[in-house]
Amino acid sequence: MWSAYAGNRVKNNMQFIISMYRLKLSGFMNKNLKTALNETEGSIQAMSATHEMLYDQNDLENIDSKKYLENLSERLSRSFDTSNIKIDLNIDTSLDIEKSIFIGIILNELFTNSFKYAFLDNKGKIDISLKKTEGEFELIYKDNGIGFEKENIKDSFGIKLIETLVIDELKGQIKLDSSSGTFYKILWR
């Protein structure tokens, strides 16, 4: 009973934060600000989804990563026109609560970039895998979109956020290839 109450309370608090910022910024809204606010909302929803799942289960240290990432991809898909974009998840491990939040925020950025920029005709595929081998976690994210020039995104807030989370928080490393679609390989222990 308490856990459901706590989960709803966190969800409501997160939604309140989003609503408060929308109201506060409503007089200044332009397309760029609205886009930035929607992307921030996605990150907040990723954190909210983690807490919802945590409170809905008995294990307070780990969450069902497959269920969490399915839920996250569905939420983000609803924010964009993704009817012709196929998402395949191959999740073979679970993460603790802290790592789940970081991975949720990272995937929010990657999904958002793919949905906005990768598919010129709004058709494509995104593959995500998460596994643990010999004590090392591996997250692979790839889309079959148009790719991008690394020089064109070096000042991107989203890319800097991903790098910061992987390097500083996960103590991991990133491999990126954008020559044919987008491919991220993130490793951490």
Side-chain angles (χ1 to χ4, degrees):
M1 175 76 171
W2 179 86
S3 63
Y5 169 75
N8 285 332
R9 188 166 181 184
V10 168
K11 181 179 177 181
N12 291 340
N13 286 343
M14 299 275 190
Q15 192 58 48
F16 174 76
I17 291 168
I18 293 167
S19 297
M20 182 182 68
Y21 275 102
R22 284 198 179 280
L23 183 62
K24 187 174 184 175
L25 297 172
S26 64
F28 303 100
M29 282 293 189
N30 62 35
K31 186 178 178 181
N32 291 337
L33 186 56
K34 186 174 182 179
T35 299
L37 190 57
N38 285 339
E39 291 172 11
T40 302
E41 183 176 338
S43 294
I44 292 171
Q45 286 180 353
M47 290 182 271
S48 176
T50 305
H51 285 280
E52 275 180 64
M53 288 190 69
L54 180 66
Y55 291 120
D56 285 345
Q57 64 185 22
N58 293 328
D59 185 352
L60 296 181
E61 293 182 20
N62 297 294
I63 65 170
D64 180 340
S65 294
K66 182 174 181 162
K67 186 176 176 185
Y68 168 63
L69 294 177
E70 285 172 351
N71 183 313
L72 180 64
S73 67
E74 288 171 13
R75 285 179 184 212
L76 292 169
S77 293
R78 286 192 300 265
S79 300
F80 296 88
D81 178 17
T82 61
S83 56
N84 294 317
I85 299 172
K86 183 173 176 27
I87 300 172
D88 282 333
L89 297 169
N90 183 10
I91 311 302
D92 293 334
T93 190
S94 288
L95 299 171
D96 66 40
I97 185 70
E98 184 177 86
K99 302 295 189 289
S100 294
I101 291 172
F102 296 144
I103 294 304
I105 294 170
I106 289 167
L107 286 175
N108 176 69
E109 292 298 323
L110 294 174
F111 273 124
T112 299
N113 286 341
S114 291
F115 294 155
K116 285 172 55 177
Y117 307 116
F119 308 114
L120 296 178
D121 56 0
N122 202 31
K123 292 181 184 175
K125 185 175 181 194
I126 297 172
D127 292 300
I128 299 169
S129 70
L130 175 65
K131 65 182 179 180
K132 183 177 182 183
T133 308
E134 297 178 15
E136 186 171 60
F137 290 94
E138 176 187 83
L139 173 70
I140 293 182
Y141 179 97
K142 60 182 174 178
D143 70 39
N144 66 348
I146 61 171
F148 58 87
E149 298 289 330
K150 291 180 188 175
E151 303 81 46
N152 294 342
I153 59 140
K154 65 182 176 187
D155 294 328
S156 161
F157 173 77
I159 300 302
K160 287 181 180 180
L161 177 61
I162 291 168
E163 290 173 351
T164 299
L165 290 173
V166 171
I167 295 166
D168 295 344
E169 301 300 333
L170 296 175
K171 307 296 184 217
Q173 54 187 314
I174 305 171
K175 177 183 176 187
L176 169 62
D177 181 2
S178 61
S179 59
S180 176
T182 299
F183 174 88
Y184 273 88
K185 181 177 187 178
I186 300 172
L187 302 168
W188 74 95
R189 291 203 171 271

